[in-house]
Amino acid sequence: MNLKIKKLTQQGFSLVEVVLSSAVFVLLVTALVGAYLYGQESTALAGNRARAVLLAEEGLEVTRNIRDSNFSNLTHGSKGLTVSSGQWVFSGGSDLTDGFTRSVVITPGGSDNKKNVMGNVTWQQNQQRTGTVSLISRLTNWLA
């Protein structure tokens, strides 16, 4: 009789051990899958932000090149950029590149020989969030 009681309690402990180990395994797998998916999303968001910064920097550099050719081309307002006949030119209010919307905003810089330039880039990070990057520079008419 003592032997039967011992066998029944041992079987009950085995069942509890299986249930607990299964629960721990499921929790561990869930945590690992969550970490993997979060890491992939973070990598994609960081890559998009880096791309946006490069596009904003490119906008400022293009504006510098346009300034170097003729400072009077820097008229106030929001502008897009495009390449025409191998040269960068302003076009419209913004330009679209692979889902990134870029605009270059030129404002007065305090005197006739100075302009403030802001390169803005926006993009859709996910369904709920929009990303924005803005870089600012001040340009002068160094030829004057």
Side-chain angles (χ1 to χ4, degrees):
M1 176 115 174
N2 215 1
L3 188 58
K4 276 188 175 183
I5 293 173
K6 193 173 189 179
K7 282 186 179 183
L8 287 176
T9 57
Q10 284 179 346
Q11 287 176 350
F13 279 122
S14 294
L15 181 62
V16 170
E17 288 172 350
V18 167
V19 168
L20 284 176
S21 64
S22 296
V24 168
F25 179 74
V26 167
L27 287 173
L28 180 65
V29 167
T30 302
L32 291 175
V33 168
Y36 176 75
L37 293 176
Y38 179 74
Q40 282 207 321
E41 182 183 11
S42 294
T43 301
L45 291 175
N48 286 340
R49 179 166 170 68
R51 177 86 189 274
V53 168
L54 291 174
L55 285 170
E57 286 176 350
E58 180 183 55
L60 294 179
E61 287 297 322
V62 167
T63 305
R64 282 186 189 97
N65 287 338
I66 292 172
R67 178 222 35 205
D68 290 347
S69 66
N70 189 352
F71 190 78
S72 64
N73 288 337
L74 299 182
T75 57
H76 300 159
S78 180
K79 307 183 181 318
L81 300 169
T82 189
V83 176
S84 176
S85 301
Q87 296 286 329
W88 283 100
V89 293
F90 293 125
S91 69
S94 64
D95 61 274
L96 185 64
T97 304
D98 297 331
F100 295 87
T101 303
R102 172 178 53 195
S103 65
V104 175
V105 180
I106 302 172
T107 57
S111 72
D112 290 340
N113 290 331
K114 294 181 183 176
K115 304 281 184 178
N116 294 323
V117 180
M118 182 184 303
N120 299 315
V121 177
T122 58
W123 72 99
Q124 194 67 37
Q125 286 186 343
N126 55 33
Q127 293 177 353
Q128 298 85 17
R129 287 193 323 188
T130 300
T132 303
V133 169
S134 295
L135 301 178
I136 300 171
S137 182
R138 176 171 275 185
L139 302 180
T140 60
N141 186 0
W142 58 275
L143 291 174

